[in-house]
Amino acid sequence: MQKFMALFCRFFTKVSVLFLFMITSLSAAHATIVVSVKPIGFIVEAIADGVTDTSVLLPDGASPHTYSLKPSDLAKIHSAELVVWISEDMETFLPNVLKSVAESKQLALTAIPQIQTLLRKGHSQANGDSDHHDDASDHDHDHGTHDEHIWLSPQIVKIIAHTIRDRLIAQYPDKQAVVDENLNEFMINLTETEQNIAKKLIPVQNKGYFVFHDAYGYFESQFGLKNLGSFTLNPAVQPGVQTVYAIQQSLKEHHAVCVFREPQFSPSVIDKLVKGTTVRVGELDPLGTGIAPAKDAYSQLLLKLTGQLLACLDHQ
Ligand SMILES: [Zn+2]
């Protein structure tokens, strides 16, 4: 009897291994488009709706500048039908793993020629405000020569949407009607949103502000906003006396109305910087935190950003 049990157990183990293997290959067969950051995921999802699934690597609250991949991410990347990402300057955690992924299954957005011609120069060249680097160091934007926050350019986003459309139609020719309808809907919605935002932001176009993350250049230039410059700070480190002084001088000198922090900065650090000035503190979220997947999610992200700008700049 014992011998029988042992045999049975061995058999059972083999069956479960086989079963596990089947599950794994099934999920591998169920390919999806894997996208690095949420805003790009919103775009891909809107175009691929009803055709294939979209999966976003970075969870809410994670920054593409500092993220590192989990084992489950690696599995997702390796079973993806397509990996959509921005560039090695933005997602520094991706190039290594992508070496083992066929090139035909990768789409680096900044490599698209039409997008390349629209890339803005990086921070120091664009703003001329390169004097606040005292404590600063570990931020990405120092080594990138272009502004990689391309999802905040509606113009570039439209090219991304068209590119995803072309890819999907090449892969699923029988789904062309669905994909084209998705693209059409996306374009109409985005164009309306742009007009809507342009109107909303007119009253604050001459209100100067500083940011703590130079991510908004595309959006600011499209809507004529008055970014006075950016302070590069390590959110985890209290700024030194000299940095605090230099930032306060800049705020006064340029008559800034607001400074915008992002959720990773503790309010106490920012309060220290604006102490003794009339500058208000606002918050900006470039990644659409908390926005649920929906066909108009990308427009929602732009509208959320607009609301956050207005909340501080247009404050009476
Ligand atoms: Zn950034």
Side-chain angles (χ1 to χ4, degrees), residues 63-65 90 139-141 147-149 151 213-215 262 286:
S63 161
H65 302 311
M90 177 59 79
H139 208 247
D140 66 302
H141 302 135
D147 183 351
E148 312 281 325
H149 305 86
W151 67 87
H213 175 197
D214 188 37
E262 285 178 27

PDB file of all heavy atoms in Angstrom, residues 63-65 90 139-141 147-149 151 213-215 262 286, ligand 1:
ATOM      1  N   SER A  63       8.144  55.814 -10.599  1.00  0.00           N
ATOM      2  CA  SER A  63       8.710  56.737 -11.582  1.00  0.00           C
ATOM      3  C   SER A  63       9.531  55.968 -12.600  1.00  0.00           C
ATOM      4  O   SER A  63      10.336  55.105 -12.230  1.00  0.00           O
ATOM      5  CB  SER A  63       9.610  57.756 -10.887  1.00  0.00           C
ATOM      6  OG  SER A  63      10.479  58.347 -11.842  1.00  0.00           O
ATOM      7  N   PRO A  64       9.349  56.270 -13.888  1.00  0.00           N
ATOM      8  CA  PRO A  64      10.150  55.576 -14.906  1.00  0.00           C
ATOM      9  C   PRO A  64      11.647  55.871 -14.748  1.00  0.00           C
ATOM     10  O   PRO A  64      12.481  55.134 -15.256  1.00  0.00           O
ATOM     11  CB  PRO A  64       9.615  56.126 -16.230  1.00  0.00           C
ATOM     12  CG  PRO A  64       8.911  57.396 -15.886  1.00  0.00           C
ATOM     13  CD  PRO A  64       8.416  57.236 -14.468  1.00  0.00           C
ATOM     14  N   HIS A  65      11.981  56.958 -14.041  1.00  0.00           N
ATOM     15  CA  HIS A  65      13.387  57.318 -13.882  1.00  0.00           C
ATOM     16  C   HIS A  65      14.110  56.416 -12.890  1.00  0.00           C
ATOM     17  O   HIS A  65      15.319  56.341 -12.884  1.00  0.00           O
ATOM     18  CB  HIS A  65      13.520  58.763 -13.396  1.00  0.00           C
ATOM     19  CG  HIS A  65      12.884  59.754 -14.313  1.00  0.00           C
ATOM     20  ND1 HIS A  65      13.109  59.761 -15.664  1.00  0.00           N
ATOM     21  CD2 HIS A  65      12.031  60.769 -14.078  1.00  0.00           C
ATOM     22  CE1 HIS A  65      12.424  60.743 -16.208  1.00  0.00           C
ATOM     23  NE2 HIS A  65      11.754  61.362 -15.275  1.00  0.00           N
ATOM     24  N   MET A  90      14.884  57.361 -20.880  1.00  0.00           N
ATOM     25  CA  MET A  90      13.724  57.388 -19.983  1.00  0.00           C
ATOM     26  C   MET A  90      13.643  56.104 -19.172  1.00  0.00           C
ATOM     27  O   MET A  90      13.739  56.118 -17.964  1.00  0.00           O
ATOM     28  CB  MET A  90      12.438  57.612 -20.801  1.00  0.00           C
ATOM     29  CG  MET A  90      11.165  57.588 -19.977  1.00  0.00           C
ATOM     30  SD  MET A  90      11.099  58.818 -18.653  1.00  0.00           S
ATOM     31  CE  MET A  90      10.679  60.295 -19.557  1.00  0.00           C
ATOM     32  N   HIS A 139      19.194  62.878 -10.895  1.00  0.00           N
ATOM     33  CA  HIS A 139      18.052  62.885 -11.796  1.00  0.00           C
ATOM     34  C   HIS A 139      18.509  62.582 -13.208  1.00  0.00           C
ATOM     35  O   HIS A 139      19.596  62.908 -13.608  1.00  0.00           O
ATOM     36  CB  HIS A 139      17.335  64.230 -11.715  1.00  0.00           C
ATOM     37  CG  HIS A 139      15.888  64.101 -12.037  1.00  0.00           C
ATOM     38  ND1 HIS A 139      15.332  64.649 -13.145  1.00  0.00           N
ATOM     39  CD2 HIS A 139      14.895  63.449 -11.396  1.00  0.00           C
ATOM     40  CE1 HIS A 139      14.047  64.350 -13.171  1.00  0.00           C
ATOM     41  NE2 HIS A 139      13.760  63.633 -12.121  1.00  0.00           N
ATOM     42  N   ASP A 140      17.612  61.973 -13.938  1.00  0.00           N
ATOM     43  CA  ASP A 140      17.940  61.485 -15.275  1.00  0.00           C
ATOM     44  C   ASP A 140      18.246  62.571 -16.262  1.00  0.00           C
ATOM     45  O   ASP A 140      19.026  62.427 -17.158  1.00  0.00           O
ATOM     46  CB  ASP A 140      16.730  60.753 -15.806  1.00  0.00           C
ATOM     47  CG  ASP A 140      15.584  61.702 -16.013  1.00  0.00           C
ATOM     48  OD1 ASP A 140      15.173  62.357 -15.054  1.00  0.00           O
ATOM     49  OD2 ASP A 140      15.116  61.817 -17.144  1.00  0.00           O
ATOM     50  N   HIS A 141      17.572  63.711 -16.092  1.00  0.00           N
ATOM     51  CA  HIS A 141      17.515  64.642 -17.216  1.00  0.00           C
ATOM     52  C   HIS A 141      18.855  65.251 -17.535  1.00  0.00           C
ATOM     53  O   HIS A 141      19.005  65.954 -18.503  1.00  0.00           O
ATOM     54  CB  HIS A 141      16.474  65.723 -16.933  1.00  0.00           C
ATOM     55  CG  HIS A 141      15.128  65.116 -16.687  1.00  0.00           C
ATOM     56  ND1 HIS A 141      14.306  65.497 -15.680  1.00  0.00           N
ATOM     57  CD2 HIS A 141      14.510  64.104 -17.327  1.00  0.00           C
ATOM     58  CE1 HIS A 141      13.212  64.745 -15.707  1.00  0.00           C
ATOM     59  NE2 HIS A 141      13.325  63.899 -16.687  1.00  0.00           N
ATOM     60  N   ASP A 147      14.026  66.098 -24.337  1.00  0.00           N
ATOM     61  CA  ASP A 147      12.956  65.924 -23.371  1.00  0.00           C
ATOM     62  C   ASP A 147      12.204  64.648 -23.737  1.00  0.00           C
ATOM     63  O   ASP A 147      11.569  64.558 -24.782  1.00  0.00           O
ATOM     64  CB  ASP A 147      12.034  67.146 -23.417  1.00  0.00           C
ATOM     65  CG  ASP A 147      10.919  67.079 -22.391  1.00  0.00           C
ATOM     66  OD1 ASP A 147      10.753  66.011 -21.764  1.00  0.00           O
ATOM     67  OD2 ASP A 147      10.225  68.089 -22.228  1.00  0.00           O
ATOM     68  N   GLU A 148      12.310  63.664 -22.860  1.00  0.00           N
ATOM     69  CA  GLU A 148      11.749  62.340 -23.163  1.00  0.00           C
ATOM     70  C   GLU A 148      10.306  62.186 -22.670  1.00  0.00           C
ATOM     71  O   GLU A 148       9.722  61.122 -22.822  1.00  0.00           O
ATOM     72  CB  GLU A 148      12.587  61.249 -22.485  1.00  0.00           C
ATOM     73  CG  GLU A 148      14.092  61.374 -22.687  1.00  0.00           C
ATOM     74  CD  GLU A 148      14.533  60.866 -24.044  1.00  0.00           C
ATOM     75  OE1 GLU A 148      13.937  59.903 -24.524  1.00  0.00           O
ATOM     76  OE2 GLU A 148      15.466  61.452 -24.606  1.00  0.00           O
ATOM     77  N   HIS A 149       9.751  63.215 -22.072  1.00  0.00           N
ATOM     78  CA  HIS A 149       8.373  63.117 -21.547  1.00  0.00           C
ATOM     79  C   HIS A 149       7.380  63.342 -22.682  1.00  0.00           C
ATOM     80  O   HIS A 149       6.533  64.224 -22.629  1.00  0.00           O
ATOM     81  CB  HIS A 149       8.172  64.131 -20.421  1.00  0.00           C
ATOM     82  CG  HIS A 149       9.177  63.992 -19.318  1.00  0.00           C
ATOM     83  ND1 HIS A 149      10.404  64.596 -19.345  1.00  0.00           N
ATOM     84  CD2 HIS A 149       9.134  63.284 -18.169  1.00  0.00           C
ATOM     85  CE1 HIS A 149      11.084  64.271 -18.254  1.00  0.00           C
ATOM     86  NE2 HIS A 149      10.335  63.481 -17.522  1.00  0.00           N
ATOM     87  N   TRP A 151       4.833  61.861 -23.821  1.00  0.00           N
ATOM     88  CA  TRP A 151       3.381  61.639 -23.706  1.00  0.00           C
ATOM     89  C   TRP A 151       2.652  62.929 -23.329  1.00  0.00           C
ATOM     90  O   TRP A 151       1.441  62.972 -23.369  1.00  0.00           O
ATOM     91  CB  TRP A 151       3.085  60.515 -22.708  1.00  0.00           C
ATOM     92  CG  TRP A 151       3.446  60.864 -21.295  1.00  0.00           C
ATOM     93  CD1 TRP A 151       2.654  61.518 -20.379  1.00  0.00           C
ATOM     94  CD2 TRP A 151       4.682  60.585 -20.623  1.00  0.00           C
ATOM     95  NE1 TRP A 151       3.326  61.661 -19.189  1.00  0.00           N
ATOM     96  CE2 TRP A 151       4.565  61.096 -19.311  1.00  0.00           C
ATOM     97  CE3 TRP A 151       5.875  59.951 -21.009  1.00  0.00           C
ATOM     98  CZ2 TRP A 151       5.607  60.996 -18.383  1.00  0.00           C
ATOM     99  CZ3 TRP A 151       6.895  59.864 -20.083  1.00  0.00           C
ATOM    100  CH2 TRP A 151       6.763  60.377 -18.793  1.00  0.00           C
ATOM    101  N   HIS A 213      10.395  69.101 -11.421  1.00  0.00           N
ATOM    102  CA  HIS A 213      10.661  67.980 -12.326  1.00  0.00           C
ATOM    103  C   HIS A 213      10.388  68.533 -13.713  1.00  0.00           C
ATOM    104  O   HIS A 213       9.254  68.880 -14.026  1.00  0.00           O
ATOM    105  CB  HIS A 213       9.718  66.831 -11.980  1.00  0.00           C
ATOM    106  CG  HIS A 213       9.807  65.651 -12.909  1.00  0.00           C
ATOM    107  ND1 HIS A 213       8.831  64.698 -12.969  1.00  0.00           N
ATOM    108  CD2 HIS A 213      10.738  65.273 -13.809  1.00  0.00           C
ATOM    109  CE1 HIS A 213       9.161  63.781 -13.851  1.00  0.00           C
ATOM    110  NE2 HIS A 213      10.317  64.114 -14.390  1.00  0.00           N
ATOM    111  N   ASP A 214      11.411  68.638 -14.520  1.00  0.00           N
ATOM    112  CA  ASP A 214      11.270  69.299 -15.808  1.00  0.00           C
ATOM    113  C   ASP A 214      10.624  68.354 -16.815  1.00  0.00           C
ATOM    114  O   ASP A 214      11.264  67.852 -17.724  1.00  0.00           O
ATOM    115  CB  ASP A 214      12.642  69.765 -16.304  1.00  0.00           C
ATOM    116  CG  ASP A 214      12.503  70.632 -17.534  1.00  0.00           C
ATOM    117  OD1 ASP A 214      11.543  71.416 -17.596  1.00  0.00           O
ATOM    118  OD2 ASP A 214      13.342  70.515 -18.439  1.00  0.00           O
ATOM    119  N   ALA A 215       9.340  68.123 -16.636  1.00  0.00           N
ATOM    120  CA  ALA A 215       8.652  67.101 -17.429  1.00  0.00           C
ATOM    121  C   ALA A 215       7.605  67.690 -18.365  1.00  0.00           C
ATOM    122  O   ALA A 215       7.065  66.989 -19.200  1.00  0.00           O
ATOM    123  CB  ALA A 215       7.974  66.105 -16.493  1.00  0.00           C
ATOM    124  N   GLU A 262       5.891  67.279  -7.032  1.00  0.00           N
ATOM    125  CA  GLU A 262       5.215  66.037  -7.387  1.00  0.00           C
ATOM    126  C   GLU A 262       5.062  65.222  -6.118  1.00  0.00           C
ATOM    127  O   GLU A 262       5.707  65.504  -5.122  1.00  0.00           O
ATOM    128  CB  GLU A 262       6.016  65.302  -8.468  1.00  0.00           C
ATOM    129  CG  GLU A 262       5.805  66.000  -9.788  1.00  0.00           C
ATOM    130  CD  GLU A 262       6.586  65.398 -10.922  1.00  0.00           C
ATOM    131  OE1 GLU A 262       6.886  64.210 -10.879  1.00  0.00           O
ATOM    132  OE2 GLU A 262       6.881  66.147 -11.860  1.00  0.00           O
ATOM    133  N   PRO A 286       2.440  64.003 -13.714  1.00  0.00           N
ATOM    134  CA  PRO A 286       2.579  63.778 -15.159  1.00  0.00           C
ATOM    135  C   PRO A 286       2.168  62.375 -15.615  1.00  0.00           C
ATOM    136  O   PRO A 286       2.148  62.112 -16.807  1.00  0.00           O
ATOM    137  CB  PRO A 286       4.075  63.996 -15.391  1.00  0.00           C
ATOM    138  CG  PRO A 286       4.715  63.605 -14.107  1.00  0.00           C
ATOM    139  CD  PRO A 286       3.726  63.916 -13.008  1.00  0.00           C
TER     140      PRO A 286
HETATM  141 ZN    ZN B   1      10.822  62.887 -15.735  1.00  0.00          ZN
END
